Amino acid sequence: MGIKQALKSLDAFPRAEDHLLQKTRSGALVSVVGLAIMATLFLHELRYYLTTYTVHQMSVDLKRGETLPIHINMTFPSLPCDVLSVDAIDMSGKHEVDLDTHIWKLRLNSYGHIIGTEYLSDLVEKEHAAHNHDEGGNHDHSGEKAHGHTFDQDAEKMIKKVKQALENGEGCRVYGVLDVQRVAGNFHISVHGLSMFVAQMIFDGAVHVNVSHIIHDLSFGPKYPGLHNPLDGTERILHSASGTFKYYIKIVPTEYRYIWKEVLPTNQFSVTEYFSPMTEFDRTWPAVYFLYDLSPITVTIREERRSFLHFITRLCAVLGGTFALTGMLDRWMYIIIEAFTKPNSRRARR
């Protein structure tokens, strides 16, 4: 009996007899409100526990020999697809003119609807094949005349076709992935793929080349949760003079580590924009340049979740605090109600 009595003395929650407990309507109201508050706080804490948060770490970028994917999705509402070309140049001296890329061009009418599709690499490979065929071997004088005659006919057809497209208000949407070396460089979209003679015949001067553009998406790798590409949704529409747009991009290599240990290698970037208006005395042609440089620091973003003990601690704090607060509120309401009802009952007896 001594052990049982000692255990009872340790009970920190003494219970009153049932006949000493009094149930009231105010107590029921406080109980319902308290249960609603505790249920709301429980759901809030559970959601807080299940939600992941990110931790950022920085380190030196040690990647070597990898390629840099450039995702392009742009619209040129005032230039037909026949005159647009995508060129890439890097610091190593490598110059690619739409070769070994996956770039598509969509012809758009004046309302922005698609009316045709072209694969950019196929067109460039045909031009290079024709150029290599012309340079290989000796040709007689009659062959050169025939080639010159063919070139004149092709140029006339090209000029006529592009002028008709300009009159119809055709535009072009350029999209795809451009794989370049992981070094500083630039890529630009322009009319540089045309010969100077053909370009002059079509536009009658560089000032009439309208490089207005809309950047739907420009990224340097897959997207991860929370990533914001600053150039997405950018619109640059020229209504009078033409010019050259230059976007100076600083690329930061990034690794996103999901909570289930999957690693997503990608890149984020910042950008500074510059516009140079074109004059009649300039010898260059308008273009849209993207000049990029890579940061030597890589950022690792890691998803984490709060510990279960942290969740239990917060849960006990909010639920226990709510229970104690509702208990105090119940006592205060009971005292106030008793103070107002007792004098009335005494008067009724008198």
Side-chain angles (χ1 to χ4, degrees), residues 21-230:
L21 298 177
Q22 182 179 358
K23 297 182 179 181
T24 61
R25 294 180 180 178
S26 61
L29 178 62
V30 173
S31 299
V32 171
V33 173
L35 289 175
I37 294 175
M38 285 190 286
T40 303
L41 292 177
F42 171 76
L43 294 176
H44 178 270
E45 289 299 323
L46 181 62
R47 181 182 178 185
Y48 181 74
Y49 166 69
L50 297 177
T51 303
T52 59
Y53 65 97
T54 56
V55 177
H56 293 69
Q57 295 178 341
M58 293 187 295
S59 60
V60 178
D61 184 19
L62 302 177
K63 295 180 181 178
R64 293 291 182 271
E66 297 183 5
T67 58
L68 179 67
I70 303 175
H71 299 261
I72 307 170
N73 190 353
M74 297 178 60
T75 296
F76 290 82
S78 302
L79 288 177
C81 290
D82 292 320
V83 301
L84 285 178
S85 66
V86 182
D87 302 338
I89 306 173
D90 57 40
M91 290 186 62
S92 64
K94 187 175 182 181
H95 184 189
E96 293 187 355
V97 187
D98 305 326
L99 292 177
D100 300 327
T101 61
H102 303 282
I103 303 293
W104 292 81
K105 295 194 297 185
L106 300 179
R107 292 177 56 201
L108 307 176
N109 59 15
S110 58
Y111 299 100
H113 299 153
I114 300 173
I115 57 176
T117 306
E118 292 179 347
Y119 186 47
L120 211 55
S121 295
D122 292 344
L123 300 176
V124 175
E125 288 172 1
K126 290 179 181 178
E127 293 178 2
H128 277 253
H131 179 70
N132 294 334
H133 180 267
D134 295 337
E135 290 183 350
N138 298 323
H139 303 278
D140 55 9
H141 190 66
S142 60
E144 291 179 358
K145 287 183 178 180
H147 172 69
H149 183 65
T150 303
F151 174 78
D152 292 340
Q153 288 183 343
D154 293 340
E156 289 179 0
K157 291 181 181 179
M158 172 72 172
I159 295 171
K160 185 177 180 180
K161 180 181 178 182
V162 174
K163 283 188 175 182
Q164 184 63 40
L166 289 172
E167 291 178 1
N168 296 335
E170 281 193 22
C172 185
R173 186 164 186 169
V174 181
Y175 74 97
V177 181
L178 183 67
D179 292 318
V180 298
Q181 296 187 29
R182 199 178 181 81
V183 294
N186 77 80
F187 68 95
H188 53 275
I189 304 175
S190 63
V191 298
H192 295 165
L194 299 175
S195 66
M196 297 296 295
F197 170 75
V198 174
Q200 186 67 29
M201 292 294 294
I202 293 174
F203 297 102
D204 193 23
V207 293
H208 299 113
V209 180
N210 190 343
V211 291
S212 298
H213 58 279
I214 302 171
I215 303 176
H216 306 286
D217 174 45
L218 180 69
S219 57
F220 296 85
K223 295 183 178 181
Y224 60 85
L227 175 64
H228 171 67
N229 294 321

Side-chain angles (χ1 to χ4, degrees), residues 172-337:
C172 185
R173 186 164 186 169
V174 181
Y175 74 97
V177 181
L178 183 67
D179 292 318
V180 298
Q181 296 187 29
R182 199 178 181 81
V183 294
N186 77 80
F187 68 95
H188 53 275
I189 304 175
S190 63
V191 298
H192 295 165
L194 299 175
S195 66
M196 297 296 295
F197 170 75
V198 174
Q200 186 67 29
M201 292 294 294
I202 293 174
F203 297 102
D204 193 23
V207 293
H208 299 113
V209 180
N210 190 343
V211 291
S212 298
H213 58 279
I214 302 171
I215 303 176
H216 306 286
D217 174 45
L218 180 69
S219 57
F220 296 85
K223 295 183 178 181
Y224 60 85
L227 175 64
H228 171 67
N229 294 321
L231 286 178
D232 289 0
T234 300
E235 294 187 14
R236 296 295 179 263
I237 306 299
L238 298 175
H239 299 285
S240 55
S242 184
T244 297
F245 290 89
K246 291 185 179 180
Y247 297 95
Y248 296 91
I249 298 173
K250 190 69 173 182
I251 301 174
V252 181
T254 305
E255 284 187 352
Y256 192 89
R257 298 179 178 271
Y258 289 93
I259 197 168
W260 52 84
K261 305 303 181 182
E262 181 183 353
V263 180
L264 179 67
T266 182
N267 300 277
Q268 52 184 326
F269 66 93
S270 61
V271 62
T272 303
E273 181 182 350
Y274 176 74
F275 174 71
S276 176
M278 186 69 59
T279 63
E280 296 181 358
F281 303 100
D282 292 333
R283 296 184 177 181
T284 59
W285 289 80
V288 180
Y289 284 87
F290 298 90
L291 303 97
Y292 56 88
D293 191 12
L294 282 87
S295 171
I297 302 298
T298 184
V299 176
T300 301
I301 305 174
R302 188 176 67 254
E303 286 185 347
E304 291 188 357
R305 181 171 290 161
R306 297 163 185 87
S307 66
F308 183 72
L309 291 179
H310 184 265
F311 167 67
I312 294 297
T313 303
R314 289 177 59 95
L315 195 62
C316 292
V318 297
L319 296 184
T322 305
F323 185 79
L325 183 61
T326 53
M328 294 172 58
L329 182 62
D330 176 52
R331 287 194 295 271
W332 292 341
M333 292 183 63
Y334 180 77
I335 293 173
I336 293 173
I337 293 174

